[in-house]
Amino acid sequence: MTQPQHTGGRVNVLTKPEVIGTIEELRSRLIDAQSRIESERAGRGDDAGGTPRIVLVPTMGALHAGHLTLVRRARSLGEIVVVSIFVNPLQFGAGEDLGTYPRTLDADVAALAAEGVPFVFAPTSQVMYPDGDASTRVTAGTVGSLFEGAARPGHFDGMLTVVAKLFNIVGPDVAVFGQKDAQQVFLVERMLADLDFRTRIEVVPIVREDGGLALSSRNRALEPDQRAAARALSAGLADAASVAGQGAEVALQVAHARIDAEPLVKLDYLVVVDPRTFLPVRALHHGPARMLVAALVGHTRLIDNVALELP
Ligand code: PAF
């Protein structure tokens, strides 16, 4: 197994990240990495850096260019980067795609090696849920039952529960999330505040392919005609953002016109929310807002969002 190397105040690898499957081993590797960095600093007479920062990028694998953007941001934020890869059964409902969710660990590890990631935490379900389930769970509250939560009951409780576990396992100073999952970001931020976690989160803008489709591990299930049709989502959001100065109603009409014209796209919701509450905006709302969209294209559920500035 390739051992992480410490170069210039950062833990790096020459070839492959260390893929770690147990909580004990991960914790012990992180302690070692922190003390290696500290002693190297001390050797250089440099004690100004404080405790080396651990940065976590939580993922479910099937990594794409969007994830790699999160990883690059993570590397700029701290000395020790951990990428977790775990398809969390708790956040999938009955009849959802847990069984078919893409699992591509070898390719993921190769991609992370190219990014200089030292540690991949890839536990089994048995490691994460030794009793087969988590009887103690984090609840996502009212916002957790709206939008994605309405379509996927229990999804956000399962997501917050695994994120809380990962934060307790890894002890990151910072965790990096993608803006594509806007409701997830809102709920994680609220959990961190409500439960007094010391981790802070960094949110990275949505990465889009040519044509505007937001990158997602689920895009690989799209047939070529479905992929072309799915572009109506980002196009509708872009149209909406361009007329946001005329108000939320006009922005919604414009987005609907674009999305509803695409027969392969089955719209689930299109809504404008107040980013402070994640509830639908009221008539008098002005200032920052966010338009959210979710749709089925074939059997693939896609989500996207855009920031709006309402007059
Ligand atoms: O966004 C995801 O990939 C997942 O919801 C997360 C944050 C890794 C938790 O399983």
Side-chain angles (χ1 to χ4, degrees):
M1 186 191 318
T2 310
Q3 288 300 313
Q5 310 287 314
H6 174 218
T7 51
R10 190 174 293 280
V11 177
N12 220 332
V13 283
L14 295 179
T15 51
K16 277 183 87 178
E18 215 181 329
V19 181
I20 298 168
T22 68
I23 296 168
E24 300 68 27
E25 198 186 344
L26 179 70
R27 284 184 172 148
S28 114
R29 289 290 189 280
L30 293 178
I31 291 168
D32 291 350
Q34 285 187 309
S35 29
R36 267 203 309 278
I37 294 175
E38 279 171 337
S39 30
E40 194 175 291
R41 278 186 190 154
R44 291 197 306 265
D46 165 13
D47 55 1
T51 307
R53 281 176 302 270
I54 298 175
V55 188
L56 172 67
V57 184
T59 81
M60 299 204 301
L63 302 183
H64 51 64
H67 291 112
L68 301 183
T69 309
L70 306 186
V71 168
R72 279 172 216 140
R73 177 67 67 84
R75 292 201 68 206
S76 74
L77 292 170
E79 294 84 351
I80 303 168
V81 172
V82 180
V83 175
S84 64
I85 296 181
F86 178 60
V87 183
N88 173 35
L90 237 54
Q91 69 188 73
F92 287 78
E96 288 190 12
D97 56 350
L98 174 63
T100 56
Y101 196 87
R103 288 162 173 84
T104 57
L105 186 62
D106 291 347
D108 293 347
V109 171
L112 295 173
E115 297 296 333
V117 169
F119 299 113
V120 172
F121 180 51
T124 59
S125 287
Q126 169 66 24
V127 164
M128 292 298 277
Y129 303 116
D131 297 333
D133 208 345
S135 47
T136 303
R137 298 189 187 204
V138 179
T139 98
T142 311
V143 173
S145 63
L146 302 176
F147 318 128
E148 282 309 285
R152 309 182 62 193
H155 166 70
F156 285 121
D157 292 359
M159 179 280 292
L160 288 180
T161 302
V162 84
V163 168
K165 282 175 70 69
L166 289 167
F167 285 9
N168 284 327
I169 291 166
V170 178
D173 298 277
V174 187
V176 185
F177 286 80
Q179 180 62 59
K180 184 174 78 66
D181 297 297
Q183 195 173 359
Q184 168 168 283
V185 165
F186 175 88
L187 290 168
V188 170
E189 272 178 337
R190 208 182 51 180
M191 175 182 77
L192 299 186
D194 285 352
L195 301 185
D196 307 300
F197 278 80
R198 56 179 281 285
T199 302
R200 73 167 182 85
I201 73 167
E202 178 81 6
V203 183
V204 172
I206 298 174
V207 180
R208 300 181 180 281
E209 53 179 57
D210 289 348
L213 181 63
L215 295 192
S216 162
S217 304
R218 291 189 164 99
N219 290 353
R220 60 183 80 196
L222 295 171
E223 301 294 341
D225 58 335
Q226 295 173 334
R227 182 176 287 263
R231 293 186 188 129
L233 299 177
S234 52
L237 294 180
D239 290 353
S242 70
V243 298
Q246 296 172 56
E249 278 312 312
V250 174
L252 282 165
Q253 279 164 19
V254 164
H256 264 296
R258 179 69 85 112
I259 295 166
D260 296 347
E262 180 45 71
L264 293 184
V265 173
K266 304 286 171 245
L267 185 65
D268 179 0
Y269 59 80
L270 178 67
V271 64
V272 180
V273 296
D274 181 336
R276 292 164 304 185
T277 60
F278 225 79
L279 298 174
V281 290
R282 294 170 184 272
L284 291 178
H285 180 94
H286 61 90
R290 193 162 283 278
M291 181 175 276
L292 315 173
V293 67
L296 271 182
V297 181
H299 295 296
T300 307
R301 184 175 179 81
L302 299 175
I303 58 173
D304 200 348
N305 65 86
V306 72
L308 303 179
E309 189 63 30
L310 297 179

